């Protein structure tokens, strides 16, 4: 059963800039640059029929390309930090695209996603990283100033790794136009 999610890819040159955040935090499992992405909708482990219906419905999306802008590094998990991220600006175009994926995936039969959408690129999964070490890491790092790129398509990725972090396989791509 494929484990699927929809996402915006991070262009290679942008990924290289973001890779400057790698290092300097013990307990971090750094994501490979080629696996950087912005998750839109996690589908989970779906059967083949649902996967095909989801892929078909996503083909109905008609939206223009838009700018993706980065805000800065942060962590998820609070007192028990679990991942290091770079936040992405929640611009209307990105929020509306994500909301449309949510609607379409419910139409495909998936349960509603209860988590609030916080657009981000995951840089590292954290295991046994202390909140203090994470705060120190973040305190020393700002930016990435003015980094943005134009999203020209969204994709479906599959993943076999239940821990997260890739490798991800591109299953389908949908142009924004
Ligand atoms: O790499 P990011 O943070 O963009 O966190 C998982 C990862 O997101 C997320 O889906 C992406 C690909 O694995 N994910 C994993 N399990 C999830 C779940 N049960 C989930 N998102 C929502 N619900």
């Amino acid at each position: 059963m494929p484990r699927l999610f929809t996402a915006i890819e991070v262009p290679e040159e942008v990924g290289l800039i973001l890779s400057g955040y790698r290092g300097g935090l013990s307990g971090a499992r750094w994501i490979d640059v080629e696996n950087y992405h912005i998750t839109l909708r996690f589908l989970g482990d779906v059967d083949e029929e649902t996967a095909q219906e989801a892929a078909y419905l996503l083909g109905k999306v008609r939206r223009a390309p838009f700018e993706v802008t980065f805000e800065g590094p942060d962590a998820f998990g609070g007192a028990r930090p679990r991942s290091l991220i770079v936040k992405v600006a929640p611009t209307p175009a990105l929020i509306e695209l994500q909301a449309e994926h949510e609607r379409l995936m419910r139409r495909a039969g998936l349960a509603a996603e209860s988590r609030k959408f916080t657009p981000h690129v995951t840089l590292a999964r954290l295991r046994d990283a202390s909140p203090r070490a994470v705060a120190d890491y973040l305190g020393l790092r700002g930016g990435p100033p003015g980094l943005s790129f134009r999203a020209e398509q969204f994709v479906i990725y599959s993943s076999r790794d239940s821990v997260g972090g890739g490798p991800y396989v591109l299953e389908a791509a949908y142009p924004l136009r």
Side-chain angles (χ1 to χ4, degrees):
M1 221 187 295
R3 169 168 297 210
L4 303 176
F5 61 102
T6 67
I8 303 274
E9 298 160 296
V10 172
E12 199 178 337
E13 65 276 16
V14 174
L16 279 175
I17 293 168
L18 295 180
S19 72
Y21 287 109
R22 290 165 65 101
L25 181 61
S26 70
R29 187 167 63 85
W30 299 96
I31 305 292
D32 291 334
V33 178
E34 59 269 26
N35 288 315
Y36 285 171
H37 63 272
I38 302 163
T39 298
L40 295 173
R41 185 25 156 119
F42 181 74
L43 279 63
D45 299 319
V46 296
D47 59 43
E48 196 53 45
E49 196 181 329
T50 306
Q52 290 200 4
E53 177 70 3
Y56 166 74
L57 289 171
L58 288 166
K60 293 186 172 300
V61 173
R62 295 285 177 272
R63 287 180 185 274
F66 58 86
E67 284 297 302
V68 172
T69 305
F70 292 93
E71 291 189 327
D74 204 344
F76 281 155
R80 298 187 66 185
R82 64 173 191 279
S83 58
L84 201 62
I85 62 158
V86 183
K87 287 191 288 185
V88 170
T91 52
L94 182 59
I95 295 295
E96 285 162 18
L97 176 62
Q98 197 279 337
E100 185 165 14
H101 282 202
E102 177 63 27
R103 285 193 297 275
L104 292 171
M105 293 309 94
R106 288 193 209 178
R107 217 201 291 173
L110 299 183
E113 171 61 75
S114 55
R115 298 193 208 176
K116 183 179 178 293
F117 177 53
T118 307
H120 66 276
V121 173
T122 297
L123 300 170
R125 309 272 167 198
L126 304 179
R127 200 181 306 142
D128 301 328
S130 77
R132 180 59 193 267
V134 173
D136 288 348
Y137 170 93
L138 293 172
L140 291 172
R141 286 160 182 85
L147 183 63
S148 67
F149 69 91
R150 192 168 175 78
E152 305 267 5
Q153 62 177 13
F154 65 84
V155 302
I156 301 177
Y157 280 125
S158 66
S159 131
R160 297 208 177 281
D161 183 356
S162 58
V163 181
Y168 302 121
V169 176
L170 195 151
E171 300 287 346
Y174 300 85
L176 295 163
R177 57 186 170 204

